[in-house]
């Protein structure tokens, strides 16, 4: 069944969860990788902003499946959001995967350890997962975390506004329509750069980890691709582009209060 296209402020969440069939089965997801790719493509073709749910790491992760995941994220441009790359599976007590972990001896059954209390079947993958999760998600004092999160908000939030503006105001004026399209194209251009660099970084981390995880090598690889200067620079370009859009629209008679109330 095709989704209904509302003309209001729409964002669609596609719970893809994985870019490989093995993990989709592990999570009991009925949709296939192809189904998820087609859904994302459909919504974008109809100017509806798309967000996804995605779990890159789980206790049974393999290097092959992780490489398929990063291929999926890069193809859909979601590799630009570091959160999707570092996200790991949370275990709900008494869920199917909870009992599987328990049967396989991977569950850590201690009080107050939270939903990530498990061992990885591959210990080196577990080390990589823990390293990335802390560096780019859990350590909120990190400047890299701050700017990576800011970049993520563009594809997860800003495109909702752009799509709404295009549908609601782009039809009224060719000038306004072109302003919005130019802004969207620039935003995608910036995001495609970091989409590529994030994907390449993760692939190099996987190649390194497959030989045995090394913290020194992990730091060297992330510094090469995801150093603070680079992340901060991309964040600044996106922010400048966003503010420029609001200013140009205001000049054409579309002030922010006409659309900010929808956030």
């Amino acid at each position: 069944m095709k989704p209904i296209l509302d003309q209001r402020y729409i964002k669609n969440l596609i719970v893809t969860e994985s870019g490989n069939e093995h993990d989709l089965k592990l999570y009991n997801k009925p949709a296939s990788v192809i189904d998820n790719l087609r859904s994302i493509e459909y919504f974008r073709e109809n100017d509806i902003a798309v967000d996804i749910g995605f779990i890159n790491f789980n206790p049974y992760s393999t290097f092959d499946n992780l490489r398929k995941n990063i291929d999926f994220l890069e193809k859909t441009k979601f590799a630009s959001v570091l959160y999707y790359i570092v996200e790991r599976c949370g275990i709900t007590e008494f869920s199917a995967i909870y009992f599987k972990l328990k049967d396989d001896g991977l569950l850590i059954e201690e009080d107050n350890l939270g939903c990530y209390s498990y061992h990885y079947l591959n210990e080196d993958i577990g080390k990589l997962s823990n390293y990335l999760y802390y560096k780019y998600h859990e350590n909120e004092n990190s400047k890299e975390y701050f700017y990576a999160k800011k970049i993520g908000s563009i594809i997860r939030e800003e495109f909702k506004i752009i799509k709404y503006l295009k549908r609601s105001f782009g039809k009224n004026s060719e000038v306004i329509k072109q302003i919005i399209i130019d802004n969207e194209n620039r935003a995608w251009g910036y995001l495609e750069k970091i989409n590529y660099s994030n994907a390449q970084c993760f692939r190099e981390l996987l190649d390194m980890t497959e030989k045995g995880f090394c913290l020194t090598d992990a730091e060297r690889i992330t510094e090469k691709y995801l150093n603070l200067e680079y992340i901060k620079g991309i964040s600044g370009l996106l922010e400048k582009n966003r503010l420029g859009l609001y200013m140009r629209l205001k000049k054409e008679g579309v002030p922010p209060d006409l659309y900010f109330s929808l956030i």
Side-chain angles (χ1 to χ4, degrees):
M1 182 177 69
K2 291 185 178 181
I4 298 172
L5 303 185
D6 192 353
Q7 292 302 308
R8 291 182 55 78
Y9 182 57
I10 310 171
K11 179 188 79 169
N12 244 67
L13 175 65
I14 301 175
V15 187
T16 61
E17 303 295 28
S18 179
N20 71 84
E21 302 295 348
H22 178 273
D23 287 350
L24 287 174
K25 290 179 181 177
L26 179 67
Y27 306 143
N28 292 319
K29 299 299 176 183
S32 68
V33 173
I34 294 298
D35 290 335
N36 291 326
L37 286 170
R38 287 173 177 169
S39 296
I40 292 169
E41 181 181 5
Y42 176 83
F43 285 116
R44 284 179 173 166
E45 285 178 350
N46 286 280
D47 277 332
I48 298 176
V50 179
D51 194 3
I52 63 171
F54 200 86
I55 303 170
N56 196 24
F57 289 96
N58 66 66
Y60 300 95
S61 288
T62 66
F63 289 104
D64 181 58
N65 288 338
L66 288 170
R67 288 188 174 99
K68 289 177 180 176
N69 281 352
I70 197 61
D71 289 346
F72 178 93
L73 289 173
E74 184 178 22
K75 183 174 184 177
T76 58
K77 304 297 188 292
F78 285 111
S80 57
V81 183
L82 269 175
Y83 175 74
Y84 297 131
I85 295 176
V86 308
E87 179 65 322
R88 50 187 179 171
C89 183
I91 307 301
T92 304
E93 192 173 9
F94 305 126
S95 62
I97 194 171
Y98 170 88
F99 287 109
K100 178 174 173 57
L101 286 170
K102 194 169 185 176
D103 291 341
D104 292 340
L106 296 175
L107 189 67
I108 301 175
E109 297 187 85
E110 297 180 18
D111 293 335
N112 302 319
L113 286 182
C115 62
Y116 303 118
S117 302
Y118 50 76
H119 300 289
Y120 284 77
L121 201 60
N122 184 303
E123 292 184 3
D124 284 309
I125 287 178
K127 291 175 183 178
L128 174 62
S129 174
N130 291 334
Y131 167 77
L132 288 173
Y133 194 80
Y134 179 76
K135 187 176 182 73
Y136 295 110
H137 183 67
E138 203 168 50
N139 182 13
E140 296 187 4
N141 294 321
S142 164
K143 290 184 179 179
E144 287 89 349
Y145 164 85
F146 173 80
Y147 288 108
K149 185 177 181 181
K150 193 172 182 180
I151 291 170
S153 72
I154 301 296
I155 198 168
R156 300 183 76 180
E157 300 296 332
E158 187 67 14
F159 279 95
K160 294 185 296 183
I161 297 177
I162 292 174
K163 299 300 186 183
Y164 173 78
L165 288 170
K166 189 185 292 185
R167 290 192 304 271
S168 300
F169 301 99
K171 298 176 181 179
N172 302 331
S173 164
E174 283 300 318
V175 174
I176 291 174
K177 179 181 179 180
Q178 195 59 50
I179 288 172
I180 298 167
I181 291 174
D182 289 346
N183 172 272
E184 183 178 25
N185 289 338
R186 277 193 299 271
W188 275 118
Y190 299 141
L191 285 171
E192 283 177 357
K193 289 181 180 179
I194 199 162
N195 182 67
Y196 173 78
S197 60
N198 285 356
Q200 289 299 102
C201 179
F202 189 65
R203 291 189 181 102
E204 286 196 20
L205 286 168
L206 288 176
D207 292 342
M208 176 273 295
T209 302
E210 199 163 15
K211 300 171 185 176
F213 180 81
C214 173
L215 180 60
T216 301
D217 287 343
E219 288 291 326
R220 174 183 56 79
I221 293 169
T222 53
E223 179 62 20
K224 173 184 174 182
Y225 288 100
L226 300 173
N227 60 76
L228 178 59
E229 182 180 357
Y230 177 67
I231 297 176
K232 186 177 180 180
I234 294 291
S235 174
L237 289 171
L238 288 165
E239 184 69 17
K240 182 179 179 180
N241 188 48
R242 174 167 59 181
L243 292 176
L245 171 65
Y246 303 159
M247 292 174 64
R248 285 188 284 273
L249 287 177
K250 184 177 180 180
K251 187 176 179 181
E252 295 297 325
V254 185
D257 58 315
L258 290 182
Y259 49 92
F260 270 13
S261 60
L262 296 167
I263 301 177

